Amino acid sequence: MDAVGHDHGHGASTRGRLAIAFAIIAVVLVVQVVGAWFSGSLALLADAGHMASDAIGLLVALVASAWATRPATDRHTFGFRRVEVLAALVNGVLLTVVAVVVAIEAIRRLTDGASHTPAGIPMLVVAGIGLLANVVAYLVLRGGDRRSMNMRGATLEVLGDLFGSIAAVIAGVVLITTGFGAADAIASLVIAALIVPRAALLLRDVVRVLTESAPRETDVTLIREHLLETPGVVAVHDVHVWAITSGAPVFTAHVECEPEVFESGRTGEMLESLGECLHGHFDVEHSTFQLEPAGHSEREEPAHR
């Protein structure tokens, strides 16, 4: 009972930290959009887009943290954790659109010869507020439960946005001290360049989950070899590995066993050994095995071998 209470305490702490960070980022996002409008700074607008992605990421992490405790139902047999993946898809598309729009506008400002010099002081003040907000949000998240993948992902989101805020601050300082108007557009290109890799990695992970590919860190051949080392196992086939969401791998396989396993009634022991093997060595959350007598695969259809 104490362990369960301890887990709930960690979950509540994680959600509390995520909620605080989200509130900070959401408020400053509005400030940045207003500041970009009045100062005419494209860098601020780019950083606001970057921060909007952070806000979505934090909200997704917050919702996922709450929904992860909801039990599965007859309709949703794996629960609701894949909502996180769908939200990540929206986030990745949003990041890509922001990066492309900002880059196009920045290049247009650099090449059309017209004067696009933002108001330096308002730009620096708002960029400084954004930088401070990211630092505070990072410190809030950094002290959270390091076992939580949501918490680690949210921390990286905010940490990545720190660099965008720094670029906007530098552009504001350059504008005030030198009057070099192109600094704003250049900073915008830097921020767009920072966004693209994040968007690409995020969308790659989404596609991997939605196409039910084996998780990147999972070596299916190694798992099969490890299972074959279990006493009584003759062969392993029809192996499938996929993820419900990030960090939640699922494994199924047909396992052929020696006749003695069935004759002595050790099937339950065998299933327990196989499950412990996957959970202990490969951190597989959910595994299902179909035990079969040796040679059974020769009678199955080729697609199941």
Side-chain angles (χ1 to χ4, degrees):
M1 182 66 70
D2 289 342
V4 173
H6 185 64
D7 289 341
H8 282 311
H10 274 297
S13 174
T14 295
R15 288 192 290 275
R17 291 177 183 275
L18 288 169
I20 292 170
F22 172 74
I24 293 171
I25 296 298
V27 169
V28 177
L29 169 61
V30 175
V31 173
Q32 282 193 322
V33 171
V34 174
W37 177 268
F38 282 104
S39 68
S41 170
L42 183 60
L44 277 184
L45 190 60
D47 197 30
H50 204 181
M51 195 167 281
S53 173
D54 286 347
I56 293 173
L58 288 167
L59 184 60
V60 167
L62 184 59
V63 171
S65 177
W67 279 35
T69 60
R70 296 184 63 181
T73 66
D74 289 341
R75 177 66 63 182
H76 302 281
T77 55
F78 277 112
F80 300 87
R81 285 176 292 178
R82 190 156 280 189
V83 171
E84 176 188 8
V85 179
L86 299 176
L89 174 61
V90 175
N91 196 0
V93 172
L94 175 62
L95 274 172
T96 303
V97 171
V98 167
V100 170
V101 171
V102 167
I104 291 174
E105 177 62 16
I107 292 172
R108 187 187 69 79
R109 289 191 180 191
L110 288 172
T111 58
D112 68 1
S115 176
H116 293 286
T117 304
I121 293 178
M123 175 183 172
L124 180 59
V125 170
V126 175
I129 292 173
L131 177 59
L132 179 62
N134 277 302
V135 170
V136 173
Y138 173 72
L139 292 176
V140 169
L141 294 173
R142 184 184 174 190
D145 185 359
R146 296 183 181 274
R147 297 173 301 172
S148 168
M149 177 168 290
N150 270 331
M151 182 63 79
R152 293 199 303 270
T155 303
L156 290 175
E157 287 270 353
V158 174
L159 182 61
D161 196 39
L162 273 171
F163 296 103
S165 295
I166 290 172
V169 167
I170 293 174
V173 171
V174 171
L175 275 171
I176 293 172
T177 57
T178 68
F180 182 55
D184 179 62
I186 293 172
S188 303
L189 286 175
V190 171
I191 295 172
L194 290 172
I195 292 175
V196 170
R198 266 178 62 189
L201 290 174
L202 186 60
L203 290 174
R204 182 198 65 183
D205 290 342
V206 167
V207 170
R208 184 182 292 274
V209 172
L210 293 182
T211 57
E212 298 191 343
S213 302
R216 187 174 63 257
E217 66 278 5
T218 301
D219 188 331
V220 178
T221 300
L222 183 61
I223 292 177
R224 183 185 285 109
E225 292 173 353
H226 207 82
L227 293 176
L228 284 170
E229 295 176 1
T230 304
V233 173
V234 175
V236 178
H237 63 98
D238 200 18
V239 174
H240 299 282
V241 187
W242 71 99
I244 304 169
T245 184
S246 58
V250 177
F251 180 94
T252 64
H254 291 199
V255 179
E256 296 183 39
C257 303
E258 296 175 351
E260 191 271 336
V261 172
F262 298 96
E263 293 168 359
S264 61
R266 291 196 299 112
T267 54
E269 180 183 331
M270 174 62 73
L271 289 172
E272 185 175 343
S273 297
L274 294 172
E276 289 178 352
C277 171
L278 283 188
H279 183 70
H281 293 90
F282 300 100
D283 199 26
V284 173
E285 178 180 318
H286 184 90
S287 57
T288 303
F289 300 97
Q290 177 173 309
L291 301 185
E292 301 172 344
H296 187 272
S297 62
E298 297 176 2
R299 300 190 295 275
E300 292 184 350
E301 296 180 5
H304 295 286
R305 294 177 187 172

